[in-house]
Amino acid sequence: MAFDFSTVVAPFRMQPGLRRIAPGELQLTPNHRGDRALVEKLDVLLEHAAESLVAVPDFDAAPALAAFVAHAAEEHPAALVASAGALSAPLLGWSIRDDRLVGTGPAEIGACLERLPGAWRHAGLLSLAFAEDFAILEGESGRIPWLAVCLPSSWAPEEKVGRPFAEVHAPVADNAALLVAASHLTRLVTGEERWERFVWTLTDDARLSRHPRRARPPRWNEQADPERLGAMAYLRTERQTFIPLAALRQAVFTIHVEVCPLPEAARDPADARRLHAALASMTPAVLAYRGLDVVRDRLLAWLAVRGHLDGGGDRRD
C-alpha cells in the first residue's frame, strides 16, 4: 500500500497533516492492465464520465495539465510519453495524436476514450494511465475549478467543482482545524515545495469508487462478533499529494485510493495498536460521520487482539 501507518495517530483529529515529500520520492502510480484502479476507473468513465470529468465554464486547464503531463512523463517514462501533438500511454496500448485515438490496446479502453468528448480525451487517458485521481487547485481563490475524479470517497465531484477548499470540506465532522487552515494550506501547496497527506477510515465496502449516488450506505453486520466483524472490514486509505505549479499559483492535487482487507492491513501488531488508539479517540461526531458508531467497540476488541492489548488498551507483552 502507498499508505504510511506512521500517520495514524491518537488522539484522532481532522486536520491538514501536511508533510514535505522527500526529494526523489514519486507522486504517481502507473496503472497496468488488469489493475483494480484501472478496472474501476474504466467502468466509471464508460457510464458516468459527466460526473467524474468536470470543470467550471471557461476555465483554461491547459497550462496546468501540460505541467502535470511533464511531471508524470518524467516520473514514469514507461507509462506516459508526451511529444508535440501526441500523448501516449504505452502500458495501456493507446495514444492520442493530433486529437485522433491510435492504438491496439484493450478494446474497452479505446471505446471509453472514443466516447469521451474531445476536450476531455487527454484527461481520460491520463486518468486511466495512473491510479491517482487528480484535480486543479488555485492558490489565490482556494477554489477547485477542474476535476478528474473517478474514485471519490463518498462525495460527488460534480457538486464540488468551482467551490473553495473550505466549502468542499464543510460537511466533514469536527472540521474546525481544517477550515481555519484552508487559506494557509492552499497558499502553501501552490508554492515551490511538494507536499503530501494521508487519510484513512474503516469500512465494510471493498470498492474504490464511492460516489454517493452509486455507493450503498454502510451495512455493518449487527450480529457479527468482533472476530467475524474484523474479518469482514476493510482499511480505506488515501495518499493525497500536491504537484506545485508555482508560476501559475496552482497545484495539481492527486488522490491515490486503496482498500485493503483489515486482517491484511493490520497484520503487524504495531499497526493494529495505532489503529486501536486512533479509533478509540474518535469523537462521537466523527464516528457517526464515518458510519463507525455502531461497530466501534467490536472493532476495538478485534484490534486489541491483533495488537496484543489488554482490556485497558495497554500492551500485554
Side-chain angles (χ1 to χ4, degrees):
M1 298 180 71
F3 185 66
D4 183 351
F5 259 96
S6 71
T7 62
V8 178
V9 297
F12 180 90
R13 295 292 182 266
M14 300 297 293
Q15 55 191 358
L18 286 175
R19 71 181 188 186
R20 289 179 177 85
I21 297 177
E25 187 176 354
L26 303 179
Q27 290 179 258
L28 299 171
T29 310
N31 272 332
H32 295 77
R33 299 182 194 186
D35 280 357
R36 185 175 174 191
L38 174 59
V39 171
E40 288 206 34
K41 282 189 171 193
L42 188 59
D43 286 344
V44 170
L45 289 179
L46 280 167
E47 301 296 333
H48 307 285
E51 296 177 348
S52 304
L53 306 176
V54 292
V56 298
D58 301 324
F59 176 72
D60 183 11
L65 288 183
F68 175 71
V69 165
H71 178 96
E74 182 179 3
E75 272 200 1
H76 300 285
L80 193 71
V81 178
S83 59
L87 184 67
S88 301
L91 298 179
L92 304 185
W94 288 99
S95 303
I96 300 172
R97 298 177 186 169
D98 298 322
D99 295 327
R100 294 182 297 108
L101 187 62
V102 179
T104 57
E108 62 272 21
I109 294 179
C112 173
L113 294 170
E114 190 69 47
R115 188 182 300 182
L116 293 177
W120 283 103
R121 203 163 286 157
H122 283 79
L125 182 61
L126 290 170
S127 183
L128 294 175
F130 295 97
E132 285 77 12
D133 283 329
F134 46 96
I136 297 174
L137 174 66
E138 293 181 319
E140 293 302 323
S141 67
R143 71 171 187 161
I144 303 172
W146 188 99
L147 299 96
V149 176
C150 298
L151 311 176
S153 296
S154 301
W155 56 278
E158 71 276 17
E159 295 177 359
K160 304 298 185 182
V161 66
R163 297 170 63 183
F165 179 89
E167 282 189 23
V168 168
H169 289 83
V172 176
D174 286 358
N175 60 0
L178 275 174
L179 299 186
V180 167
S183 60
H184 173 69
L185 182 150
T186 54
R187 288 194 299 271
L188 189 68
V189 300
T190 55
E192 298 287 346
E193 296 184 282
R194 299 185 303 150
W195 299 86
E196 68 181 351
R197 66 188 295 260
F198 295 85
V199 298
W200 64 274
T201 191
L202 300 175
T203 178
D204 67 336
D205 190 348
R207 291 173 298 178
L208 299 176
S209 180
R210 291 281 301 165
H211 192 288
R213 280 198 286 277
R214 298 189 293 277
R216 62 168 176 77
R219 289 202 299 259
W220 293 102
N221 189 319
E222 296 183 3
Q223 309 303 321
D225 61 21
E227 183 61 31
R228 185 180 171 199
L229 188 73
M232 297 164 55
Y234 298 88
L235 177 67
R236 182 183 180 94
T237 65
E238 293 183 9
R239 182 198 182 206
Q240 303 174 359
T241 82
F242 299 86
I243 300 172
L245 313 173
L248 301 172
R249 295 302 298 163
Q250 296 176 345
V252 176
F253 173 44
T254 76
I255 310 169
H256 187 183
V257 177
E258 293 182 282
V259 178
C260 181
L262 186 56
E264 179 182 336
R267 184 178 291 120
D268 185 332
D271 293 338
R273 290 192 291 271
R274 285 182 176 273
L275 288 171
H276 183 280
L279 179 60
S281 66
M282 286 184 182
T283 66
V286 169
L287 290 168
Y289 175 75
R290 297 186 169 208
L292 295 173
D293 46 350
V294 296
V295 290
R296 171 188 179 272
D297 292 345
R298 284 177 289 161
L299 287 174
L300 285 175
W302 187 91
L303 289 165
V305 172
R306 295 306 183 279
H308 308 307
L309 299 172
D310 60 23
D314 296 320
R315 290 179 62 173
R316 296 193 303 267
D317 52 359

